[in-house]
Amino acid sequence: QVQLVESGGGLVRPGGSLRLSCTASGTILSSFTMGWYRQAPGKQRELVAATTAFGNTNYADSVKGRFTISRDNTKNTVFLQMNSLKPEDTAVYYCNRLLPPFTSWGQGTQVTVSS
């Protein structure tokens, strides 16, 4: 069974940075298009960044130029570097495969941007 584990969240001031990690067991991520999602309180989960198996990337307009998705296939890990964080980036962040997503989502990692 696939297990995804997200880490690296925390409390950061506006303008700060965080680097999130997503590690998988039970599967090899390198073959898949992987994405980082986030869900803020009272809102639907949204896709913020994705990377294909070939390393192509795509970003939601709200994070373009501030977030960078990358992967280390030797560690079976996907990263999300988040710079210039804003209060509206506050959410629980998850990773998963795109289309179709793995059935089991990880627990996510909380990112709180506040002064």
Side-chain angles (χ1 to χ4, degrees), residues 36-80:
W36 279 97
Y37 300 77
R38 67 185 181 189
Q39 187 166 21
K43 295 189 177 181
Q44 288 190 330
R45 188 174 294 170
E46 62 171 340
L47 178 65
V48 297
T51 178
T52 70
F54 303 103
N56 298 316
T57 58
N58 202 5
Y59 300 93
D61 287 343
S62 58
V63 306
K64 200 170 294 184
R66 301 187 298 120
F67 289 12
T68 302
I69 188 171
S70 61
R71 61 202 308 165
D72 183 340
N73 292 332
T74 65
K75 297 180 179 179
N76 208 30
T77 300
V78 180
F79 302 100
L80 186 67

Short mmCIF file of all heavy atoms in Angstrom, two decimals, residues 36-80:
data_model
loop_
_atom_site.label_atom_id
_atom_site.label_comp_id
_atom_site.label_asym_id
_atom_site.label_seq_id
_atom_site.Cartn_x
_atom_site.Cartn_y
_atom_site.Cartn_z
N TRP A 36 1.72 19.07 -5.49
CA TRP A 36 1.49 19.58 -4.14
C TRP A 36 0.13 20.28 -4.14
O TRP A 36 -0.14 21.11 -5.02
CB TRP A 36 2.58 20.55 -3.71
CG TRP A 36 3.82 19.88 -3.22
CD1 TRP A 36 4.95 19.63 -3.92
CD2 TRP A 36 4.04 19.39 -1.90
NE1 TRP A 36 5.88 18.99 -3.13
CE2 TRP A 36 5.34 18.84 -1.86
CE3 TRP A 36 3.29 19.35 -0.72
CZ2 TRP A 36 5.90 18.26 -0.73
CZ3 TRP A 36 3.84 18.79 0.41
CH2 TRP A 36 5.13 18.25 0.40
N TYR A 37 -0.66 19.93 -3.17
CA TYR A 37 -1.98 20.51 -2.99
C TYR A 37 -2.01 21.24 -1.65
O TYR A 37 -1.19 20.98 -0.77
CB TYR A 37 -3.05 19.42 -2.95
CG TYR A 37 -3.15 18.55 -4.18
CD1 TYR A 37 -2.22 17.54 -4.42
CD2 TYR A 37 -4.18 18.72 -5.09
CE1 TYR A 37 -2.32 16.73 -5.54
CE2 TYR A 37 -4.30 17.92 -6.20
CZ TYR A 37 -3.37 16.92 -6.42
OH TYR A 37 -3.47 16.12 -7.53
N ARG A 38 -2.99 22.10 -1.50
CA ARG A 38 -3.20 22.70 -0.19
C ARG A 38 -4.69 22.88 0.07
O ARG A 38 -5.48 23.01 -0.87
CB ARG A 38 -2.48 24.04 -0.07
CG ARG A 38 -3.02 25.16 -0.95
CD ARG A 38 -2.13 26.39 -0.81
NE ARG A 38 -2.63 27.50 -1.62
CZ ARG A 38 -1.95 28.63 -1.81
NH1 ARG A 38 -0.75 28.81 -1.23
NH2 ARG A 38 -2.47 29.59 -2.56
N GLN A 39 -5.02 22.86 1.34
CA GLN A 39 -6.41 23.08 1.74
C GLN A 39 -6.44 24.01 2.92
O GLN A 39 -5.91 23.69 4.00
CB GLN A 39 -7.09 21.76 2.08
CG GLN A 39 -8.57 21.90 2.33
CD GLN A 39 -9.28 20.56 2.33
OE1 GLN A 39 -8.68 19.51 2.52
NE2 GLN A 39 -10.60 20.60 2.12
N ALA A 40 -7.03 25.16 2.72
CA ALA A 40 -7.20 26.13 3.78
C ALA A 40 -8.54 25.88 4.46
O ALA A 40 -9.45 25.29 3.87
CB ALA A 40 -7.15 27.54 3.20
N PRO A 41 -8.69 26.33 5.69
CA PRO A 41 -9.96 26.11 6.41
C PRO A 41 -11.15 26.65 5.63
O PRO A 41 -11.12 27.78 5.14
CB PRO A 41 -9.74 26.89 7.71
CG PRO A 41 -8.28 26.90 7.91
CD PRO A 41 -7.69 26.99 6.53
N GLY A 42 -12.15 25.81 5.47
CA GLY A 42 -13.37 26.23 4.79
C GLY A 42 -13.27 26.28 3.28
O GLY A 42 -14.21 26.71 2.61
N LYS A 43 -12.14 25.84 2.74
CA LYS A 43 -11.95 25.89 1.29
C LYS A 43 -11.67 24.50 0.74
O LYS A 43 -11.28 23.59 1.46
CB LYS A 43 -10.80 26.83 0.93
CG LYS A 43 -11.07 28.29 1.27
CD LYS A 43 -9.99 29.18 0.70
CE LYS A 43 -10.28 30.65 0.97
NZ LYS A 43 -9.25 31.54 0.39
N GLN A 44 -11.87 24.36 -0.56
CA GLN A 44 -11.57 23.08 -1.20
C GLN A 44 -10.07 22.92 -1.39
O GLN A 44 -9.32 23.90 -1.47
CB GLN A 44 -12.27 23.02 -2.56
CG GLN A 44 -13.78 22.84 -2.47
CD GLN A 44 -14.41 22.54 -3.82
OE1 GLN A 44 -13.91 22.97 -4.86
NE2 GLN A 44 -15.51 21.81 -3.81
N ARG A 45 -9.66 21.70 -1.48
CA ARG A 45 -8.27 21.40 -1.77
C ARG A 45 -7.94 21.86 -3.17
O ARG A 45 -8.71 21.65 -4.10
CB ARG A 45 -8.02 19.90 -1.63
CG ARG A 45 -6.57 19.48 -1.71
CD ARG A 45 -6.45 17.99 -1.43
NE ARG A 45 -6.82 17.68 -0.05
CZ ARG A 45 -6.98 16.44 0.40
NH1 ARG A 45 -6.84 15.41 -0.42
NH2 ARG A 45 -7.30 16.23 1.65
N GLU A 46 -6.79 22.51 -3.32
CA GLU A 46 -6.39 23.01 -4.63
C GLU A 46 -4.97 22.56 -4.95
O GLU A 46 -4.12 22.44 -4.08
CB GLU A 46 -6.46 24.54 -4.67
CG GLU A 46 -5.54 25.25 -3.70
CD GLU A 46 -5.47 26.76 -3.91
OE1 GLU A 46 -5.83 27.24 -5.01
OE2 GLU A 46 -5.04 27.46 -2.97
N LEU A 47 -4.74 22.36 -6.23
CA LEU A 47 -3.41 22.00 -6.71
C LEU A 47 -2.60 23.27 -6.89
O LEU A 47 -3.04 24.20 -7.57
CB LEU A 47 -3.53 21.27 -8.05
CG LEU A 47 -2.22 20.85 -8.72
CD1 LEU A 47 -1.49 19.81 -7.89
CD2 LEU A 47 -2.51 20.32 -10.13
N VAL A 48 -1.42 23.32 -6.29
CA VAL A 48 -0.60 24.53 -6.40
C VAL A 48 0.64 24.33 -7.26
O VAL A 48 1.17 25.29 -7.82
CB VAL A 48 -0.18 25.08 -5.02
CG1 VAL A 48 -1.40 25.49 -4.22
CG2 VAL A 48 0.65 24.07 -4.24
N ALA A 49 1.13 23.10 -7.38
CA ALA A 49 2.33 22.86 -8.18
C ALA A 49 2.36 21.40 -8.61
O ALA A 49 1.88 20.53 -7.88
CB ALA A 49 3.59 23.19 -7.39
N ALA A 50 2.93 21.16 -9.78
CA ALA A 50 3.04 19.79 -10.28
C ALA A 50 4.33 19.64 -11.05
O ALA A 50 4.84 20.60 -11.65
CB ALA A 50 1.86 19.45 -11.18
N THR A 51 4.84 18.42 -11.04
CA THR A 51 6.04 18.12 -11.81
C THR A 51 5.87 16.76 -12.49
O THR A 51 5.45 15.80 -11.86
CB THR A 51 7.30 18.13 -10.94
OG1 THR A 51 8.44 17.78 -11.74
CG2 THR A 51 7.21 17.16 -9.77
N THR A 52 6.19 16.71 -13.77
CA THR A 52 6.07 15.46 -14.50
C THR A 52 7.30 14.58 -14.25
O THR A 52 8.29 15.01 -13.64
CB THR A 52 5.97 15.71 -16.01
OG1 THR A 52 7.24 16.19 -16.49
CG2 THR A 52 4.89 16.73 -16.33
N ALA A 53 7.23 13.38 -14.74
CA ALA A 53 8.35 12.45 -14.62
C ALA A 53 9.58 12.98 -15.35
O ALA A 53 10.71 12.62 -15.02
CB ALA A 53 7.96 11.09 -15.15
N PHE A 54 9.35 13.85 -16.33
CA PHE A 54 10.45 14.42 -17.11
C PHE A 54 10.96 15.73 -16.52
O PHE A 54 11.90 16.32 -17.05
CB PHE A 54 10.01 14.65 -18.55
CG PHE A 54 9.53 13.39 -19.21
CD1 PHE A 54 8.17 13.17 -19.39
CD2 PHE A 54 10.42 12.44 -19.66
CE1 PHE A 54 7.72 12.01 -19.99
CE2 PHE A 54 9.98 11.28 -20.27
CZ PHE A 54 8.63 11.07 -20.44
N GLY A 55 10.34 16.17 -15.43
CA GLY A 55 10.82 17.38 -14.77
C GLY A 55 10.13 18.66 -15.20
O GLY A 55 10.50 19.74 -14.74
N ASN A 56 9.14 18.54 -16.08
CA ASN A 56 8.37 19.74 -16.43
C ASN A 56 7.53 20.15 -15.22
O ASN A 56 7.05 19.29 -14.47
CB ASN A 56 7.47 19.46 -17.63
CG ASN A 56 8.28 19.11 -18.86
OD1 ASN A 56 9.28 19.75 -19.15
ND2 ASN A 56 7.86 18.09 -19.57
N THR A 57 7.35 21.44 -15.05
CA THR A 57 6.62 21.93 -13.89
C THR A 57 5.50 22.87 -14.30
O THR A 57 5.53 23.48 -15.38
CB THR A 57 7.56 22.66 -12.91
OG1 THR A 57 8.21 23.75 -13.61
CG2 THR A 57 8.62 21.71 -12.37
N ASN A 58 4.53 22.98 -13.42
CA ASN A 58 3.42 23.89 -13.62
C ASN A 58 2.95 24.39 -12.27
O ASN A 58 3.04 23.65 -11.27
CB ASN A 58 2.27 23.18 -14.36
CG ASN A 58 1.36 24.15 -15.06
OD1 ASN A 58 1.62 25.35 -15.09
ND2 ASN A 58 0.28 23.64 -15.65
N TYR A 59 2.49 25.63 -12.25
CA TYR A 59 2.12 26.26 -10.99
C TYR A 59 0.79 26.99 -11.09
O TYR A 59 0.45 27.53 -12.14
CB TYR A 59 3.20 27.26 -10.56
CG TYR A 59 4.56 26.64 -10.37
CD1 TYR A 59 5.47 26.61 -11.40
CD2 TYR A 59 4.92 26.09 -9.14
CE1 TYR A 59 6.72 26.02 -11.24
CE2 TYR A 59 6.16 25.50 -8.96
CZ TYR A 59 7.06 25.46 -10.01
OH TYR A 59 8.29 24.88 -9.84
N ALA A 60 0.10 27.02 -9.97
CA ALA A 60 -1.07 27.88 -9.89
C ALA A 60 -0.62 29.33 -9.96
O ALA A 60 0.47 29.68 -9.49
CB ALA A 60 -1.82 27.62 -8.59
N ASP A 61 -1.46 30.17 -10.52
CA ASP A 61 -1.09 31.58 -10.65
C ASP A 61 -0.77 32.22 -9.31
O ASP A 61 0.08 33.10 -9.21
CB ASP A 61 -2.23 32.35 -11.32
CG ASP A 61 -2.36 32.04 -12.80
OD1 ASP A 61 -1.40 31.48 -13.39
OD2 ASP A 61 -3.42 32.34 -13.38
N SER A 62 -1.43 31.75 -8.26
CA SER A 62 -1.27 32.37 -6.95
C SER A 62 0.11 32.13 -6.35
O SER A 62 0.51 32.84 -5.43
CB SER A 62 -2.34 31.85 -5.99
OG SER A 62 -2.27 30.42 -5.89
N VAL A 63 0.84 31.13 -6.85
CA VAL A 63 2.15 30.82 -6.28
C VAL A 63 3.28 30.95 -7.29
O VAL A 63 4.45 30.81 -6.94
CB VAL A 63 2.18 29.40 -5.67
CG1 VAL A 63 1.04 29.23 -4.68
CG2 VAL A 63 2.14 28.33 -6.74
N LYS A 64 2.93 31.23 -8.53
CA LYS A 64 3.94 31.31 -9.59
C LYS A 64 4.99 32.36 -9.24
O LYS A 64 4.65 33.47 -8.84
CB LYS A 64 3.25 31.62 -10.91
CG LYS A 64 4.05 31.26 -12.14
CD LYS A 64 3.19 31.39 -13.38
CE LYS A 64 2.07 30.38 -13.41
NZ LYS A 64 1.27 30.43 -14.67
N GLY A 65 6.25 31.99 -9.39
CA GLY A 65 7.33 32.90 -9.09
C GLY A 65 7.79 32.86 -7.64
O GLY A 65 8.82 33.44 -7.30
N ARG A 66 7.01 32.20 -6.79
CA ARG A 66 7.36 32.12 -5.36
C ARG A 66 7.64 30.69 -4.92
O ARG A 66 8.47 30.47 -4.04
CB ARG A 66 6.22 32.69 -4.52
CG ARG A 66 5.90 34.13 -4.82
CD ARG A 66 4.87 34.70 -3.82
NE ARG A 66 3.59 34.01 -3.87
CZ ARG A 66 3.05 33.37 -2.84
NH1 ARG A 66 3.67 33.33 -1.68
NH2 ARG A 66 1.87 32.77 -2.99
N PHE A 67 6.94 29.73 -5.51
CA PHE A 67 7.10 28.33 -5.13
C PHE A 67 7.84 27.59 -6.24
O PHE A 67 7.68 27.89 -7.43
CB PHE A 67 5.73 27.66 -4.95
CG PHE A 67 4.96 28.09 -3.74
CD1 PHE A 67 5.34 29.20 -2.98
CD2 PHE A 67 3.83 27.39 -3.36
CE1 PHE A 67 4.61 29.60 -1.88
CE2 PHE A 67 3.09 27.76 -2.25
CZ PHE A 67 3.48 28.88 -1.51
N THR A 68 8.62 26.59 -5.82
CA THR A 68 9.32 25.74 -6.77
C THR A 68 9.17 24.29 -6.36
O THR A 68 9.51 23.92 -5.23
CB THR A 68 10.82 26.10 -6.83
OG1 THR A 68 10.97 27.48 -7.18
CG2 THR A 68 11.53 25.24 -7.87
N ILE A 69 8.67 23.48 -7.28
CA ILE A 69 8.54 22.05 -7.03
C ILE A 69 9.73 21.34 -7.66
O ILE A 69 10.19 21.71 -8.75
CB ILE A 69 7.20 21.51 -7.58
CG1 ILE A 69 6.98 20.06 -7.15
CG2 ILE A 69 7.11 21.67 -9.09
CD1 ILE A 69 5.58 19.54 -7.46
N SER A 70 10.23 20.35 -6.95
CA SER A 70 11.36 19.58 -7.47
C SER A 70 11.26 18.16 -6.92
O SER A 70 10.42 17.87 -6.07
CB SER A 70 12.69 20.23 -7.09
OG SER A 70 12.83 20.27 -5.68
N ARG A 71 12.13 17.31 -7.42
CA ARG A 71 12.10 15.93 -6.95
C ARG A 71 13.51 15.37 -6.90
O ARG A 71 14.39 15.79 -7.65
CB ARG A 71 11.20 15.09 -7.84
CG ARG A 71 11.62 14.98 -9.29
CD ARG A 71 10.45 14.62 -10.20
NE ARG A 71 9.73 13.45 -9.76
CZ ARG A 71 8.51 13.10 -10.21
NH1 ARG A 71 7.90 13.86 -11.10
NH2 ARG A 71 7.92 12.02 -9.76
N ASP A 72 13.72 14.47 -5.95
CA ASP A 72 14.98 13.74 -5.84
C ASP A 72 14.63 12.27 -5.95
O ASP A 72 14.17 11.65 -4.99
CB ASP A 72 15.68 14.05 -4.51
CG ASP A 72 17.03 13.38 -4.40
OD1 ASP A 72 17.30 12.42 -5.12
OD2 ASP A 72 17.83 13.83 -3.56
N ASN A 73 14.80 11.72 -7.13
CA ASN A 73 14.38 10.35 -7.36
C ASN A 73 15.22 9.34 -6.56
O ASN A 73 14.74 8.26 -6.26
CB ASN A 73 14.45 10.02 -8.85
CG ASN A 73 13.41 10.79 -9.65
OD1 ASN A 73 12.35 11.15 -9.14
ND2 ASN A 73 13.71 11.06 -10.92
N THR A 74 16.43 9.71 -6.21
CA THR A 74 17.26 8.81 -5.42
C THR A 74 16.70 8.64 -4.01
O THR A 74 16.97 7.65 -3.34
CB THR A 74 18.71 9.30 -5.34
OG1 THR A 74 18.75 10.53 -4.61
CG2 THR A 74 19.29 9.51 -6.73
N LYS A 75 15.94 9.65 -3.57
CA LYS A 75 15.35 9.60 -2.24
C LYS A 75 13.84 9.37 -2.29
O LYS A 75 13.19 9.39 -1.24
CB LYS A 75 15.64 10.91 -1.49
CG LYS A 75 17.12 11.15 -1.25
CD LYS A 75 17.36 12.46 -0.51
CE LYS A 75 18.85 12.68 -0.26
NZ LYS A 75 19.10 13.96 0.45
N ASN A 76 13.32 9.18 -3.51
CA ASN A 76 11.88 8.96 -3.67
C ASN A 76 11.08 10.06 -2.99
O ASN A 76 10.10 9.81 -2.27
CB ASN A 76 11.48 7.59 -3.11
CG ASN A 76 10.26 7.02 -3.79
OD1 ASN A 76 10.01 7.28 -4.97
ND2 ASN A 76 9.49 6.23 -3.07
N THR A 77 11.52 11.29 -3.21
CA THR A 77 10.98 12.45 -2.49
C THR A 77 10.68 13.58 -3.46
O THR A 77 11.42 13.79 -4.42
CB THR A 77 11.98 12.93 -1.42
OG1 THR A 77 12.22 11.86 -0.50
CG2 THR A 77 11.45 14.13 -0.67
N VAL A 78 9.60 14.29 -3.17
CA VAL A 78 9.23 15.49 -3.91
C VAL A 78 9.27 16.66 -2.93
O VAL A 78 8.84 16.52 -1.78
CB VAL A 78 7.83 15.35 -4.52
CG1 VAL A 78 7.45 16.61 -5.29
CG2 VAL A 78 7.77 14.14 -5.45
N PHE A 79 9.77 17.79 -3.38
CA PHE A 79 9.93 18.96 -2.52
C PHE A 79 9.07 20.11 -3.03
O PHE A 79 8.71 20.18 -4.21
CB PHE A 79 11.40 19.42 -2.51
CG PHE A 79 12.36 18.37 -2.06
CD1 PHE A 79 13.11 17.64 -2.96
CD2 PHE A 79 12.53 18.13 -0.71
CE1 PHE A 79 14.00 16.68 -2.55
CE2 PHE A 79 13.43 17.17 -0.27
CZ PHE A 79 14.17 16.44 -1.20
N LEU A 80 8.79 21.02 -2.12
CA LEU A 80 8.16 22.28 -2.49
C LEU A 80 8.88 23.39 -1.73
O LEU A 80 8.75 23.49 -0.51
CB LEU A 80 6.67 22.30 -2.16
CG LEU A 80 5.93 23.54 -2.65
CD1 LEU A 80 5.88 23.57 -4.17
CD2 LEU A 80 4.51 23.60 -2.08
#
